[in-house]
Amino acid sequence: MNCVVHQSPGLWRHPRDRADRYSDLSYWTDLARILERGKFDALFMADVLGVYDVYGGNTDHALREGTQVPLNDPMLSVSAMAAVTEHLGFGVTCTLSYEPPFTLARRISTLDHLTKGRIGWNIVTGYLDSAARGVSGAASQPKHDTRYQIAEEYMELVYKLWEGSWEEGAVLRDRDSGVFTDPAKVHRIRHEGEFFKLDAIHLSEPSPQRTPVLFQAGTSSKGRDFAARQAECVFMAAPSKTVARGYVADIRKRAAAYGRDPYSIKIFNLTTAIVGATPDAAREKHADYRSYVSIPGALTLLSGWTGIDFSAYDLDEPLRYIRNEAVHSAVESFTTADPSRVWTVREVAEWIGIGGFGPLLVGSASEVADEMESWVAETDLDGFNLAYAVTPESFVDIADLLVPELQRRGRYKTDYAAGTLREKLFPGHGPRLSDTHPAAQSRKTILRAAE
Amino acid sequence: MNCVVHQSPGLWRHPRDRADRYSDLSYWTDLARILERGKFDALFMADVLGVYDVYGGNTDHALREGTQVPLNDPMLSVSAMAAVTEHLGFGVTCTLSYEPPFTLARRISTLDHLTKGRIGWNIVTGYLDSAARGVSGAASQPKHDTRYQIAEEYMELVYKLWEGSWEEGAVLRDRDSGVFTDPAKVHRIRHEGEFFKLDAIHLSEPSPQRTPVLFQAGTSSKGRDFAARQAECVFMAAPSKTVARGYVADIRKRAAAYGRDPYSIKIFNLTTAIVGATPDAAREKHADYRSYVSIPGALTLLSGWTGIDFSAYDLDEPLRYIRNEAVHSAVESFTTADPSRVWTVREVAEWIGIGGFGPLLVGSASEVADEMESWVAETDLDGFNLAYAVTPESFVDIADLLVPELQRRGRYKTDYAAGTLREKLFPGHGPRLSDTHPAAQSRKTILRAAE
């Protein structure tokens, strides 16, 4: 995230943490180089368009702690990172709630061109009411279900722009004939729907992937349904294997119900790894990191995510009690895995303090690799979305200690595959969205209409 | 412009032209390095959000000729160019017609951070109806005057976000106390106006310039008025010194009427220079370039700019006749300078063919420098916005031939000044917007309200 505190509140104070340099371009180019050294598939950048103002009912805690505020735009550092790397992908979060499909589609096409096809788009509809106030002055966002209806129509439009407006071979770049584009192969998208109107050609010529790799992270039933139909990659943040297993099975089941190969969706869990040269070194590092966790910072995040103001509760109050008055799927996660365990507010805050809702794996490379293998085996996960505790140290340790161990075990690539991000994530797949994806259907319709 | 044909229709076919590599990141980083070698103040990137569909009543000509379509987003290559340069500024065009002030303000703040204060914003309201159709499905844009009312309110809001939301010293980055930001020094902007509502803090902490250097290019009376009050730099595209002189005097007079130092606004004219090692070499180069000019391409641009479909006219028809039925300030320019000269459609197209409406200066470095000095002396201009005929060759010739000549004459800097783009453009000025600018007034109001 283009900010100081993403998922490790308080740890920006650690002497080796560099997150407070987030507004410096070299912070991003250095990070990209580290990740490519570690053969990470992609750098994922989260984003929100508001401030965490639920905790204490104002923005004071978020500002003081730096929890996801100040927060810069995630898209704008991508081209610099692309210039210093060759293979690393970029999964950029961009809400569809406050920008017309026409301009968002062009921005993403531009990035896909400039990165030679290394762009993924994390589709979000936003969860902070403060974003709605910021952008439009409205007191709150559209209702959750309406947001997904808007999202469905939005996706239909960006698919048409990306897939249907410019045919293959439309761009000739023919210096001899003087024809840059064959106009017969460029189609105007005409749409008049419930939420959007459009009558235009896509402004960008087809980029290497056309449609970016589609990421989604919905956890509600509507959100899962959306992910099962639209997403190529799904993020989740399950704290335990039990919760993860249920979520993965549900997504794959829903995908199958929509006629998609359930394994054509790659599912990644938010995970934080603290890796040391030895088991003891890792545990010492963890103890050191833990001493920097900010409980108010963690509760500021938790309150924003759940909509529950945790400043009103005693830190030693059990979560089960809170659950009775405002059940929210995120908080629910902690109790679902082991219904007998009672979590206190403080314990949840400590959990969130390093790595948010995701699990924390601490150990030598061998121990962490064991645990990752067990997660994959027991939950049917495809991979991990690795958060940092201390940046860039967390990623350096992963690249230099954990990755070689995973490679020795044959569980991790020894080199990048050729091609676009889509081709790297889905071996044997071409650069373009699969023909079985709903977007491909809308592409065919447009081309038939043009015939 | 992030496209193939900006102001030299047909010249992308020239064997040495590289504009058709516009979607490749190295095209932009190479260009940035050339410009910094030539100590250009800034790279200016134009943009539109629609297609030139007036000529012939459809988009076929624009597509075939590549005139400003396909067209990628100009903002997204900036960070890569910033990473390979130290001083070059970036003037990015961004329309305020289709994006909330809240998100645009964050995008520009982000770029100002990443470039360490090298961002300028060219404020436009758009002139193509096709943009309105593309974004909102509306048949046309809001009326010209309404667009400027919207722009005034928009500017008030972005100023408040940039100048008034975060006080100096709000960000502490204090690892010892754990306070990243002092919440008492961050202010929510509350606004309920005719066109916009807002109730939020700015998401970005103050960037080096806070408000980017403000560029504007309005030519209508409303547009000039807007520029005279808001702009720090003004672009124009006057074909002759007579036209330029009148325009410059008018802008300075309007600025003075608003209580601003008339010379606190820097005025640049669109100009194309074809520079050769000798006078003959330059003329040969010009003849060579001219043979690539596309008349339909030029008329596609002209029709879009004026709203007149020039495909309905004979190429040898005099422009004076056309003027009678649809007077437009842009076409008017050609006749104002010398009312006795009758321009034909073909002659105007040929003029536009290399460098758009701006003048074309052809010669040795010494000849072109003479002509530039004469433009400055006779029109009271501050400088030039140099278009390319053939890219990057036009800029290489300027950097390597013309700039040394101007330096010998003491008319051009021998090194960049330190600091932000604003400090470079306005020696003795600080990085922040002047206290006499209207935005500074709104800043003071906000801070007083917070006391």
Side-chain angles (χ1 to χ4, degrees), chain B residues 191-439:
Chain B
H191 172 94
E192 197 151 332
E194 194 178 343
F195 303 104
F196 300 100
K197 284 199 274 185
L198 180 71
D199 180 6
I201 65 164
H202 186 36
L203 285 181
S204 299
E205 62 177 294
S207 66
Q209 300 185 118
R210 285 185 178 249
T211 297
V213 175
L214 299 168
F215 288 80
Q216 225 269 333
T219 48
S220 67
S221 178
K222 282 267 177 194
R224 291 176 189 208
D225 222 53
F226 184 86
R229 292 198 305 113
Q230 307 278 2
E232 299 174 272
C233 297
V234 169
F235 286 135
M236 56 188 221
S240 69
K241 291 174 193 166
T242 315
V243 174
R245 184 162 51 235
Y247 183 85
V248 171
D250 183 59
I251 290 286
R252 299 215 197 278
K253 197 178 108 192
R254 288 174 194 251
Y258 285 115
R260 297 178 71 190
D261 172 0
Y263 288 91
S264 70
I265 300 184
K266 300 286 180 205
I267 307 176
F268 303 91
N269 196 39
L270 175 66
T271 300
T272 305
I274 299 178
V275 190
T278 64
D280 281 351
R283 280 161 191 77
E284 275 164 34
K285 201 178 277 187
H286 179 211
D288 175 38
Y289 288 178
R290 203 165 41 194
S291 70
Y292 289 90
V293 167
S294 162
I295 298 295
L299 293 177
T300 300
L301 291 175
L302 183 65
S303 298
W305 294 332
T306 61
I308 301 166
D309 179 1
F310 281 94
S311 75
Y313 297 91
D314 191 277
L315 284 178
D316 296 308
E317 201 160 348
L319 200 61
R320 210 147 42 173
Y321 168 69
I322 294 168
R323 229 189 116 199
N324 287 340
E325 49 173 59
V327 177
H328 185 285
S329 62
V331 174
E332 227 180 342
S333 304
F334 284 89
T335 52
T336 309
D338 173 9
S340 68
R341 168 153 182 195
V342 177
W343 290 77
T344 65
V345 172
R346 185 196 310 278
E347 285 168 335
V348 173
E350 283 168 349
W351 177 282
I352 285 169
I354 304 184
F357 274 127
L360 176 64
L361 314 181
V362 179
S364 64
S366 167
E367 287 173 321
V368 172
D370 284 350
E371 191 55 27
M372 282 182 149
E373 287 191 333
S374 134
W375 267 81
V376 170
E378 292 178 36
T379 66
D380 201 21
L381 263 185
D382 295 290
F384 302 90
N385 185 15
L386 293 161
Y388 61 82
V390 165
T391 182
E393 183 167 286
S394 293
F395 300 117
V396 171
D397 289 343
I398 289 166
D400 296 347
L401 299 173
L402 179 61
V403 162
E405 174 64 22
L406 290 168
Q407 287 171 328
R408 264 191 296 279
R409 297 179 183 203
R411 300 298 298 243
Y412 194 81
K413 59 185 166 310
T414 52
D415 211 346
Y416 282 107
T420 62
L421 177 59
R422 182 170 284 118
E423 290 163 283
K424 287 176 164 70
L425 288 172
F426 301 94
H429 200 296
R432 301 286 164 82
L433 204 59
S434 154
D435 280 344
T436 61
H437 189 280

Side-chain angles (χ1 to χ4, degrees), chain A residues 421-442:
Chain A
L421 177 59
R422 182 170 283 118
E423 291 163 283
K424 287 176 165 69
L425 288 172
F426 301 94
H429 200 295
R432 301 286 163 82
L433 204 59
S434 153
D435 280 345
T436 61
H437 190 279
Q441 194 51 42
S442 89

Side-chain angles (χ1 to χ4, degrees), chain B residues 46-101:
Chain B
D47 191 34
V48 292
L49 270 179
V51 181
Y52 286 77
D53 59 2
V54 176
Y55 186 73
N58 59 48
T59 57
D60 287 3
H61 290 280
L63 286 164
R64 198 173 292 120
E65 299 283 338
T67 45
Q68 306 190 3
V69 67
L71 175 63
N72 284 338
D73 188 291
M75 273 198 176
L76 294 163
S77 56
V78 168
S79 72
M81 294 192 284
V84 300
T85 54
E86 191 188 345
H87 293 288
L88 184 68
F90 303 95
V92 186
T93 300
C94 196
T95 179
L96 48 74
S97 296
Y98 305 106
E99 184 176 17

Side-chain angles (χ1 to χ4, degrees), chain A residues 2 4 12-25 28-29 47-51 53 59-61 63-66 69-83 98-103 106-111 113-114 116 130-131 133-138 166 171 173-183 186 188 197-205, chain B residues 2 4 12-25 28-29 47-51 53 59-61 63-66 69-83 98-103 106-111 113-114 116 130-131 133-138 166 171 173-183 186 188 197-205:
Chain A
N2 201 336
V4 185
W12 66 272
R13 297 175 297 161
H14 191 282
R16 294 192 301 275
D17 191 85
R18 294 292 164 266
D20 66 350
R21 287 183 55 243
Y22 77 96
S23 58
D24 193 310
L25 196 46
W28 295 101
T29 50
D47 192 34
V48 292
L49 270 179
V51 181
D53 58 3
T59 57
D60 287 4
H61 290 279
L63 286 164
R64 199 173 291 122
E65 299 283 339
V69 65
L71 175 63
N72 284 337
D73 188 291
M75 274 199 176
L76 294 162
S77 56
V78 168
S79 73
M81 293 192 285
Y98 306 106
E99 185 176 18
F102 185 69
T103 53
R106 184 176 74 139
R107 294 213 282 140
I108 289 180
S109 293
T110 300
L111 282 182
H113 277 295
L114 295 176
K116 296 194 196 300
S130 56
R133 283 197 302 275
V135 175
S136 67
W166 295 63
V171 178
R173 278 181 163 72
D174 186 341
R175 287 170 190 248
D176 296 330
S177 69
V179 176
F180 193 83
T181 301
D182 176 359
V186 181
R188 187 180 275 199
K197 284 199 274 186
L198 179 73
D199 180 6
I201 65 164
H202 187 37
L203 285 181
S204 299
E205 63 178 292
Chain B
N2 201 336
V4 185
W12 67 270
R13 298 175 295 163
H14 191 282
R16 294 193 301 276
D17 192 85
R18 294 293 165 264
D20 66 349
R21 288 184 54 243
Y22 78 95
S23 58
D24 192 310
L25 196 47
W28 295 102
T29 49
D47 191 34
V48 292
L49 270 179
V51 181
D53 59 2
T59 57
D60 287 3
H61 290 280
L63 286 164
R64 198 173 292 120
E65 299 283 338
V69 67
L71 175 63
N72 284 338
D73 188 291
M75 273 198 176
L76 294 163
S77 56
V78 168
S79 72
M81 294 192 284
Y98 305 106
E99 184 176 17
F102 184 70
T103 53
R106 183 175 76 139
R107 295 214 281 140
I108 289 180
S109 293
T110 301
L111 282 183
H113 277 295
L114 295 176
K116 296 192 196 299
S130 56
R133 282 197 301 275
V135 175
S136 67
W166 295 64
V171 179
R173 280 182 160 72
D174 187 342
R175 286 173 190 245
D176 296 330
S177 69
V179 177
F180 192 83
T181 301
D182 175 0
V186 181
R188 186 180 275 198
K197 284 199 274 185
L198 180 71
D199 180 6
I201 65 164
H202 186 36
L203 285 181
S204 299
E205 62 177 294

